Amino acid sequence: MSPLSELYEEIALCQQCEIAKYRTKIVPGEGAEDADIMFIGEAPGWHEDQQGRPFVGPAGQYLDQLLASINLKREQVYIANVIKCRPQGNRDPLPTEIRNCRKWLERQIELIRPKMIVTLGRYSMAMFFPGKSISKIHGTAQKQDNAIYYAMYHPAAALHQQSLRQTIETDMHKIPSLLAQAESMTEAEQQPQQLNMFEV
Ligand code: URA
């Protein structure tokens, strides 16, 4: 069993938050274990809770289209969320839930070692770009030590707000050249894997 599959088994046992009692399935994340790029959303919604897979509802279908627009399939990337259980009624994640769950995301990042981390929405943005506003930093990248961090609006926001659609599509189109830069980073720059996650 791969270290990532072992991690999924560990995550599946987690009962740390109240919301664990109400989940149908836990949603650890999925994708290529050696993905160069990792997308991090907010939390599972109804569809994700039913299937145990991230981004499989309407926002996920839109994410698939956005990926296709830069010639990527979801199997080539890694997709995770800040929290792994569905908050009831699709409410926002609570600070305690984010704190309890961050260890799982940290371990996913340590195992996958992506060259580029793309935050989708303000909850995952807050972990990597503390104190920043998404309306100011979306579409901008920050190179830190060994990876490129890039903030985007959440695909669900663009589904609900037509004016964000062009913005999110433009931001998505910047990813291939950023990824190429990340790939050209030297081995020395890429070692050791450092986590640049902040408390929220
Ligand atoms: N929204 C998210 O942030 N994550 C999902 O997995 C689905 C919708």
Side-chain angles (χ1 to χ4, degrees):
M1 200 189 278
S2 73
L4 200 56
S5 306
E6 283 174 19
L7 179 63
Y8 293 158
E9 294 209 334
E10 234 185 290
I11 295 175
L13 299 175
C14 187
Q15 295 287 340
Q16 218 179 338
C17 304
E18 178 77 10
I19 50 173
K21 292 194 192 123
Y22 306 104
R23 71 185 180 224
T24 312
K25 288 192 174 162
I26 201 156
V27 184
E30 69 179 23
E33 303 212 357
D34 60 349
D36 286 338
I37 178 163
M38 181 163 177
F39 290 84
I40 306 175
E42 181 179 315
W46 186 86
H47 296 275
E48 291 75 23
D49 174 72
Q50 293 293 308
Q51 296 186 36
R53 299 178 56 212
F55 282 96
V56 289
Q61 283 159 21
Y62 186 42
L63 180 60
D64 287 347
Q65 281 175 33
L66 290 167
L67 289 171
S69 76
I70 55 167
N71 296 318
L72 282 177
K73 294 195 176 72
R74 67 153 59 209
E75 306 77 59
Q76 293 172 282
V77 303
Y78 193 85
I79 305 175
N81 281 308
V82 169
I83 67 169
K84 314 300 189 202
C85 293
R86 178 187 180 224
Q88 299 123 286
N90 287 348
R91 63 159 169 74
D92 289 342
L94 301 175
T96 46
E97 292 163 351
I98 296 173
R99 270 197 298 277
N100 289 343
C101 225
R102 62 178 284 133
K103 59 179 175 297
W104 303 130
L105 187 59
E106 285 174 354
R107 287 181 51 195
Q108 285 171 307
I109 295 170
E110 279 164 12
L111 288 173
I112 294 157
R113 302 169 65 89
K115 296 188 170 88
M116 183 168 181
I117 291 182
V118 179
T119 63
L120 300 172
R122 60 200 167 92
Y123 285 92
S124 57
M125 179 198 69
M127 292 181 125
F128 300 93
F129 301 90
K132 296 287 198 283
S133 147
I134 193 145
S135 60
K136 297 227 170 69
I137 67 156
H138 73 87
T140 64
Q142 191 176 318
K143 184 177 154 192
Q144 238 174 318
D145 305 326
N146 53 342
I148 287 180
Y149 297 81
Y150 186 64
M152 285 179 58
Y153 280 104
H154 195 286
L159 281 181
H160 298 132
Q161 218 178 312
Q162 195 61 28
S163 60
L164 287 184
R165 258 188 118 98
Q166 188 58 55
T167 305
I168 200 170
E169 287 170 14
T170 303
D171 289 349
M172 195 75 175
H173 278 101
K174 294 186 196 166
I175 287 180
S177 63
L178 288 166
L179 194 54
Q181 281 177 39
E183 274 163 358
S184 69
M185 275 161 39
T186 63
E187 279 292 306
E189 278 177 299
Q190 287 173 17
Q191 301 283 341
Q193 178 79 6
Q194 294 244 333
L195 278 179
N196 296 299
M197 280 170 78
F198 300 88
E199 295 286 348
V200 288

